[in-house]
């Protein structure tokens, strides 16, 4: 016999040792090998198996939900939703900024209206006839006076 040859299955081992094959031992070894093979395959696919229907807070906070098939298959939908959320938030900030600007301009407009109204009332006050007459009386160097005679109409003949 050659000592360098390593048997790969029970039949070769039985042939090398010269013992008759034991069919039950062979079947037992195959079952154990199959069981190990299934365990290894299951462990390899553990993260790919569909997640259970029970979503617990622990699974969500632990991140187990993110490794599920559902999340991986809907990644583009999630990216689109996140994009729209960012767009919505930025739009809201923009609108709030515009509303603040509108409020500031409305306050400024009210101030300008009040200034214009006060200026108009001061002009009206100063242009009154009684006020103009009083200013003429107080100003001694003026040659303007109130007329004693009523105004009369000068008619110009047409040619």
């Amino acid at each position: 016999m050659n000592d360098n040859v390593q048997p790969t299955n029970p039949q070769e081992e039985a042939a090398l040792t010269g013992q008759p094959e034991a069919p039950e031992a062979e079947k037992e070894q195959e079952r154990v090998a199959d069981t190990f093979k299934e365990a290894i395959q299951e462990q390899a696919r553990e993260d790919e198996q569909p997640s259970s229907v029970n979503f617990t807070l622990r699974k969500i906070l632990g991140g187990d939900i993110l490794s599920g098939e559902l999340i991986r298959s809907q990644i583009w939908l999630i990216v689109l939703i996140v994009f729209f959320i960012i767009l919505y938030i930025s739009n809201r900030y923009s609108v709030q900024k515009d509303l603040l600007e509108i409020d500031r301009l409305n306050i400024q407009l009210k101030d300008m209206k009040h200034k214009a109204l006060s200026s108009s009332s001061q002009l009206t006050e100063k242009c009154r006839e009684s006020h103009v007459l009083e200013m003429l009386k107080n100003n001694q160097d003026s040659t303007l006076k109130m007329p004693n005679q009523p105004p009369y109409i000068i008619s110009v003949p047409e040619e």
Side-chain angles (χ1 to χ4, degrees), residues 70 89 131:
L70 176 71
I89 291 171
H131 189 64

Side-chain angles (χ1 to χ4, degrees), residues 86-139:
I86 291 171
L87 188 68
Y88 174 77
I89 291 171
S90 66
N91 187 32
R92 183 170 180 195
Y93 282 133
S94 172
V95 168
Q96 283 179 341
K97 182 180 166 188
D98 291 345
L99 287 175
L100 289 173
E101 179 72 15
I102 288 170
D103 287 343
R104 187 185 64 78
L105 290 175
N106 279 336
I107 291 170
Q108 191 176 5
L109 178 65
K110 281 183 182 179
D111 288 345
M112 293 296 173
K113 281 183 179 179
H114 288 286
K115 283 182 182 179
L117 185 61
S118 82
S119 297
S120 174
S121 68
Q122 286 176 358
L123 181 64
T124 304
E125 171 82 26
K126 289 183 180 182
C127 290
R128 251 187 218 142
E129 183 180 347
S130 62
H131 189 64
V132 170
L133 285 175
E134 189 177 317
M135 280 178 42
L136 284 175
K137 259 189 207 178
N138 291 340
N139 196 359

Side-chain angles (χ1 to χ4, degrees), residues 27-144:
K27 288 181 184 178
E28 181 66 31
Q29 286 180 350
E30 285 180 15
R31 277 187 277 169
V32 170
D34 287 342
T35 306
F36 283 136
K37 193 183 277 187
E38 288 174 9
I40 291 172
Q41 286 177 350
E42 185 177 322
Q43 191 175 18
R45 292 186 313 226
E46 186 175 296
D47 63 341
E48 296 176 4
Q49 290 185 5
S51 61
S52 64
V53 179
N54 301 333
F55 289 116
T56 62
L57 183 61
R58 183 176 182 164
K59 283 185 180 180
I60 293 171
L61 293 178
D64 295 340
I65 193 170
L66 296 176
S67 65
E69 171 102 15
L70 176 71
I71 300 297
R72 278 188 257 145
S73 65
Q74 299 297 329
I75 190 71
W76 291 113
L77 178 64
I78 293 169
V79 168
L80 184 66
I81 290 171
V82 168
F83 172 74
F84 281 134
I85 288 172
I86 291 171
L87 188 68
Y88 174 77
I89 291 171
S90 66
N91 187 32
R92 183 170 180 195
Y93 282 133
S94 172
V95 168
Q96 283 179 341
K97 182 180 166 188
D98 291 345
L99 287 175
L100 289 173
E101 179 72 15
I102 288 170
D103 287 343
R104 187 185 64 78
L105 290 175
N106 279 336
I107 291 170
Q108 191 176 5
L109 178 65
K110 281 183 182 179
D111 288 345
M112 293 296 173
K113 281 183 179 179
H114 288 286
K115 283 182 182 179
L117 185 61
S118 82
S119 297
S120 174
S121 68
Q122 286 176 358
L123 181 64
T124 304
E125 171 82 26
K126 289 183 180 182
C127 290
R128 251 187 218 142
E129 183 180 347
S130 62
H131 189 64
V132 170
L133 285 175
E134 189 177 317
M135 280 178 42
L136 284 175
K137 259 189 207 178
N138 291 340
N139 196 359
Q140 298 295 329
D141 61 347
S142 174
T143 58
L144 294 176

Side-chain angles (χ1 to χ4, degrees), residues 6-34:
Q6 295 287 330
T8 57
N9 62 27
Q11 291 120 359
E12 288 179 5
E13 186 178 334
L16 289 176
T17 58
Q19 298 175 354
E21 279 186 40
E24 289 189 27
E26 182 181 310
K27 288 181 184 178
E28 181 66 31
Q29 286 180 350
E30 285 180 15
R31 277 187 277 169
V32 170
D34 287 342

